[in-house]
Amino acid sequence: MKKRIAILGSTGSIGTQALEVVEQNPDLFEIDCLTANSNADLLIAQAKKFKPNSVAIADETKYLQVKEALANDPIKVFGGYNSIVQLMSLDSFDLVLTAMVGFSGLEPTLAAIRNKKTIALANKETLVVAGDIVTQLALENNVAIYPVDSEHSAIFQCLYGEFSNPIEKIILTASGGPFRGKKRDELITVTRDQALKHPNWTMGAKITIDSASLMNKGLEMIEAKWLFNLRPDQIDVIVHPQSIIHSIVQFEDGSMKAQMGLPDMKLPIQVAMAYPHRIKNDFPRFDFVNYPNLTFEKPDMETFHCLSLAKQAMDKGGNLPCIMNAANEEAVAAFLNREIGFLAIAETIEEVMMNATFIQQPTIEDYKNSDEEARRIFKENLAKKKFVISPDN
Ligand code: NDP
Ligand code: MG
């Protein structure tokens, strides 16, 4: 029996790599549903190739283009963000790969869980924003959430055969990004293009900036807390510039297990899509001889202030991670638009975290309101031009 897959965000970095995995394994997977934000041309090309039952494009101005291009194919075409959410209540697929960016992934993921579909979760922001509600809903519906993020996939793989053994702690590895080793005064002048050059991974723009600021590792700490039901003090981060060890689990007897391999997101993607099986592939293999030095450093939380902001948000809980996430999405967009400089990312997020309304036990409505409030505060602050303007403006 082939697994029928829906991909939320099929035109992105994770989405396109997942389609490569599907293409390489036609006996295991078939595509049922593809969605995009506005990249109509790629969505059309993917639909012609993979012949899904349905496609949806969030940007309604692109709907007619997609509809007309697929008029002679037996593919249902939908437009608008809400259609993506509604597609998640169909019965024609078994597993959803959530590979949209940011808060936008939350509603379709909740809809898929209510519909009892297995989740392969790349969209970490979903768990950062509302991890309590998402994991509770998954428990109630007996739905598995398999991680796609490489660190969380590593931990998950270390837990094979160990699911009933308590974890003492986990250690998330971080590459350190393109600015590893730099101090604050050197970061004043870094540009958008420098921030977009990740040393080890090619990814979408938002997560690449998150990796440069180390916010990505902060989001991943919160993601791990919910996925593996951990206390904040059980989650450590270590910088490992070679990105070979993808993360580590330490058990109660002190034994540590790590998962290793060359950095390639196709591996964690196929692990999540094929669990409990491993799929044979011909991806390049890691050779110790080519990496005589695997090195480790403490993260510089003072220079990379986003990591300490995320830790604060994780420790305090409630809606603070949701507020932080919204401010970060806005700050990264403003940085990519050359409206603020790199250091202003953390500065603007901290301002919003101090000024947005704190709620200890938020409902899903509270999360939506907090997301909006945080974005509004960010924009008000930006309009006052209180922050460092990008040096490459
Ligand atoms: P990309 O920016 O490359 O792709 C995002 C995808 O989501 C695109 O298909 C995009 O459509 C779609 N999309 C974006 N916003 C919306 C929206 N508002 N409504 C509907 N669709 C939307 O991102 P990545 O693939 O890099 O990342 C996806 C997620 O996976 C993120 O949460 C990221 O943190 C996580 N992740 C990514 C990794 C990576 O290696 N890339 C590694 C680990 C986690 P369009 O193309 O039309 O804009
Ligand atoms: Mg990761």
Side-chain angles (χ1 to χ4, degrees):
M1 277 281 280
K2 290 186 194 184
K3 255 187 210 166
R4 294 163 302 171
I5 313 271
I7 303 183
L8 296 170
S10 64
T11 49
S13 163
I14 293 288
T16 50
Q17 293 180 84
L19 286 174
E20 283 179 47
V21 170
V22 170
E23 194 177 359
Q24 284 153 11
N25 297 283
D27 300 341
L28 298 178
F29 305 117
E30 68 186 327
I31 291 295
D32 183 69
C33 165
L34 298 173
T35 79
N37 187 27
S38 64
N39 190 344
D41 293 339
L42 184 53
L43 184 64
I44 292 163
Q46 292 177 339
K48 295 242 176 229
K49 184 166 178 182
F50 290 93
K51 307 192 186 325
N53 282 317
S54 41
V55 299
I57 186 145
D59 180 347
E60 294 186 40
T61 66
K62 301 287 178 69
Y63 166 70
L64 272 184
Q65 183 193 343
V66 181
K67 176 91 187 147
E68 278 165 20
L70 300 177
N72 296 326
D73 300 273
I75 300 173
K76 297 182 210 75
V77 180
F78 300 91
Y81 175 77
N82 285 335
S83 71
I84 296 180
V85 182
Q86 283 158 12
L87 273 179
M88 292 299 99
S89 51
L90 293 180
D91 263 334
S92 48
F93 53 87
D94 310 301
L95 177 144
V96 186
L97 172 68
T98 70
M100 289 160 70
V101 188
F103 187 88
S104 68
L106 176 62
E107 277 211 64
T109 306
L110 289 172
I113 296 174
R114 282 191 204 101
N115 192 20
K116 304 195 189 309
K117 300 304 175 196
T118 303
I119 307 290
L121 184 133
N123 177 228
K124 64 191 87 183
E125 295 92 335
T126 293
L127 288 180
V128 172
V129 169
D132 53 347
I133 290 179
V134 174
T135 50
Q136 183 57 34
L137 195 66
L139 270 177
E140 285 165 15
N141 286 281
N142 202 15
V143 161
I145 302 179
Y146 300 126
V148 170
D149 214 346
S150 57
E151 297 76 2
H152 307 71
S153 175
I155 292 163
F156 181 56
Q157 292 177 63
C158 292
L159 292 176
Y160 286 6
E162 305 261 18
F163 289 113
S164 57
N165 288 329
I167 295 173
E168 188 164 84
K169 71 171 185 180
I170 62 163
I171 306 169
L172 298 173
T173 51
S175 72
F179 304 140
R180 181 175 64 88
K182 288 201 190 304
K183 292 289 168 199
R184 275 187 76 81
D185 54 340
E186 297 167 277
L187 291 178
I188 296 172
T189 52
V190 297
T191 63
R192 175 186 187 275
D193 289 348
Q194 288 170 321
L196 281 171
K197 279 204 187 74
H198 194 278
N200 303 340
W201 301 94
T202 309
M203 309 177 285
K206 196 256 174 185
I207 185 176
T208 306
I209 302 303
D210 286 344
S211 301
S213 70
L214 291 204
M215 178 56 93
N216 183 48
K217 212 48 54 181
L219 300 176
E220 289 180 355
M221 291 172 79
I222 303 172
E223 180 186 15
K225 168 182 147 148
W226 293 116
L227 277 172
F228 305 110
N229 195 18
L230 300 171
R231 296 184 314 272
D233 63 283
Q234 291 175 291
I235 305 169
D236 280 355
V237 170
I238 191 142
V239 174
H240 166 47
Q242 298 81 19
S243 296
I244 296 297
I245 294 184
H246 298 305
S247 279
I248 299 144
V249 179
Q250 182 175 312
F251 293 94
E252 287 187 316
D253 59 357
S255 174
M256 289 174 145
K257 277 186 169 181
Q259 187 264 339
M260 304 173 68
L262 292 171
D264 181 348
M265 282 309 296
K266 289 204 292 301
L267 183 76
I269 290 170
Q270 73 171 44
V271 165
M273 292 201 322
Y275 182 80
H277 306 291
R278 287 193 181 270
I279 307 177
K280 188 173 163 62
N281 61 38
D282 57 3
F283 305 161
R285 276 19 181 182
F286 169 72
D287 183 345
F288 276 97
V289 176
N290 297 333
Y291 289 82
N293 294 309
L294 295 181
T295 60
F296 304 91
E297 308 160 10
K298 246 172 101 93
D300 178 355
M301 311 237 327
E302 211 179 294
T303 306
F304 296 92
H305 189 47
C306 283
L307 187 54
S308 42
L309 291 176
K311 183 145 176 45
Q312 281 169 37
M314 174 173 68
D315 290 346
K316 186 152 181 196
N319 65 339
L320 199 54
C322 169
I323 292 166
M324 179 196 73
N325 175 71
N328 181 55
E329 287 188 32
E330 292 293 327
V332 170
F335 175 71
L336 287 169
N337 275 334
R338 300 186 157 90
E339 290 169 279
I340 60 171
F342 185 74
L343 286 177
I345 295 176
E347 199 185 333
T348 51
I349 297 169
E350 189 163 29
E351 274 290 315
V352 176
M353 285 170 71
M354 285 189 314
N355 290 302
T357 316
F358 179 70
I359 305 171
Q360 187 67 60
Q361 290 213 304
T363 61
I364 195 74
E365 277 315 307
D366 291 331
Y367 281 129
K368 286 181 194 164
N369 293 336
S370 297
D371 178 79
E372 279 171 23
E373 184 194 20
R375 290 174 199 268
R376 195 182 63 243
I377 297 173
F378 179 91
K379 284 177 187 145
E380 284 164 7
N381 289 349
L382 190 63
K384 291 184 215 144
K385 288 272 177 224
K386 277 170 62 183
F387 303 104
V388 192
I389 298 297
S390 172
D392 59 347
N393 232 345

